Amino acid sequence: MQQVQTRVLKVDPLYPDKQAIEIAAEVIKKGGLVVFPTETVYGLGADTFNPEACTKIFKAKNRPMDNPLIVHIHSFDQLFEVAQDISDEILNKLKIVWPGPLTLILKKRPEVPKEVTAGLDTVAVRMPAHPVALELIKTSQTPIAAPSANLATKPSPTLAEHVIEDLYGKVDVILDAGRTFFGVESTIIDVTKNPPVLLRPGPFSVEELKEIFGEIVVPDEARGLGYFKVALAPGMKYKHYAPSKKLIVVEDRSIYREVIDIVSKKYKVAALGTDEMLKEIESTDVIKIRLGSDKNLYEVSKNLFDAFRQLDYSKADIGIIHGFPERGIGLAIMNRTRKASGFSIVRNLDDVKKYIELS
Ligand code: TXA
Ligand code: MG
């Protein structure tokens, strides 16, 4: 791919610098690529209504063209530019939840190019709760189509450093507003189905969704137990991100320490864990990658993708992470963790041998 000159502009996450936003908005209007922060992860954005610009997103990320993008809007007026046939009931609920880390699958308007939706008759839409994202969309005067700003083989970026590692020389502007707030991608629900179906858990929890939308279907795949069938979740058929190092998830925390002891007799181990779990590990041979504290799972979600990248940079042969309760943000943490492990899920000591050669 042709190299472009990348400008990295620092912006305050809460009070974004007008000049930086204007530079980035000009790039969007001219059909270029801008990486911008959202409350979840960094997005790789282009003008939704410019098919050539959207095609560049796929090239920069190395993303297959049949994996559709999320359209980011800053107002309800923009919602009606991209989606149609939205019932008053859904619209009223959206007024409660947006801006926020919730993406809805809706019926698309014909003006949305096929490049954005991978030829589907639906479109994924969200209004992000991040001042920089909202200002950028508003100043660009167009909805911005954006997947996460990582190479297709890497975890979503939660720091501008991750973006620079993956996309420097492939995008025009990177707006650097520091670490994103939640660290895992938005919750996605398909409201073209009745009851709505959860396609991806995220910061907007199932408990909150049920309060607002009533019944919600939570398939096993949304918990990170196996791949979706294409018909149910188009675009989610691809192999999920997995570190190049082996990663196993010890779901039963009571055997976490023992599993680490057994595996570290033969391999260099990195333990990915909370302070509470890591303090149990005495061996100084084990590399400790801190996820945060069990007292605040939002700290864990914020650090999770960076921890996966750190595992790959480390000298460890194998990463071992423990489970989390599947409540609130915990469901998103488990979904990303199980997928990153390639479903190497350990529930008892015998399971370890299924994934790791020990003898
Ligand atoms: O938090 C987020 O959602 C971030 C930020 C940048 O907004 N975006 C993000 O996009 O994570 P990404 O790379 O995960 O891609 C969008 C996801 C894909 O899994 C895609 O399959 C799904 O949304 N998607 C998009 N349009 C869809 C549609 N019409 N039907 C079903 N799934 C769809
Ligand atoms: Mg992504």
Side-chain angles (χ1 to χ4, degrees), residues 38 40-44 61 63 67-70 72 103 105 117 120 122-124 126 146-148 156 184-186 188 199-200 233-236:
T38 78
T40 56
V41 301
Y42 277 86
L44 168 55
K61 275 189 67 116
R63 182 183 179 102
N67 192 358
L69 311 177
I70 294 177
H72 296 70
T103 298
I105 308 297
T117 59
L120 299 170
T122 53
V123 60
R126 86 176 188 100
S148 50
S156 294
V184 289
E185 308 87 343
S186 63
I188 305 182
L199 297 185
R200 177 173 78 182
M236 292 203 190

Side-chain angles (χ1 to χ4, degrees), residues 2 17 20 31 36 41 69 99 105 107 123 125 137 176 181 183 185 261 285 310 317 344:
Q2 207 192 327
D17 178 56
F36 60 99
V41 301
L69 311 177
I105 308 297
K107 193 164 178 334
V123 60
V125 189
I137 304 163
D176 174 1
F181 309 148
E185 308 87 343
D261 285 344
D285 288 339
Q310 280 183 43
D317 308 307
S344 302

Side-chain angles (χ1 to χ4, degrees), residues 19 48 53 72 81 126 132 160 162 177 234 254 278 289 308:
Q19 213 189 337
T48 298
H72 296 70
E81 289 176 30
R126 86 176 188 100
V132 175
H162 299 156
S254 69
L278 293 181
I289 300 178
F308 291 158

Side-chain angles (χ1 to χ4, degrees), residues 23-68:
I23 293 170
E26 269 315 297
V27 169
I28 295 285
K29 286 183 190 169
K30 293 206 170 95
L33 299 182
V34 172
V35 174
F36 60 99
T38 78
E39 76 278 40
T40 56
V41 301
Y42 277 86
L44 168 55
D47 177 357
T48 298
F49 296 115
N50 181 334
E52 290 86 47
C54 291
T55 302
K56 284 198 240 169
I57 294 178
F58 293 89
K59 292 213 173 100
K61 275 189 67 116
N62 218 349
R63 182 183 179 102
M65 288 293 293
D66 62 353
N67 192 358

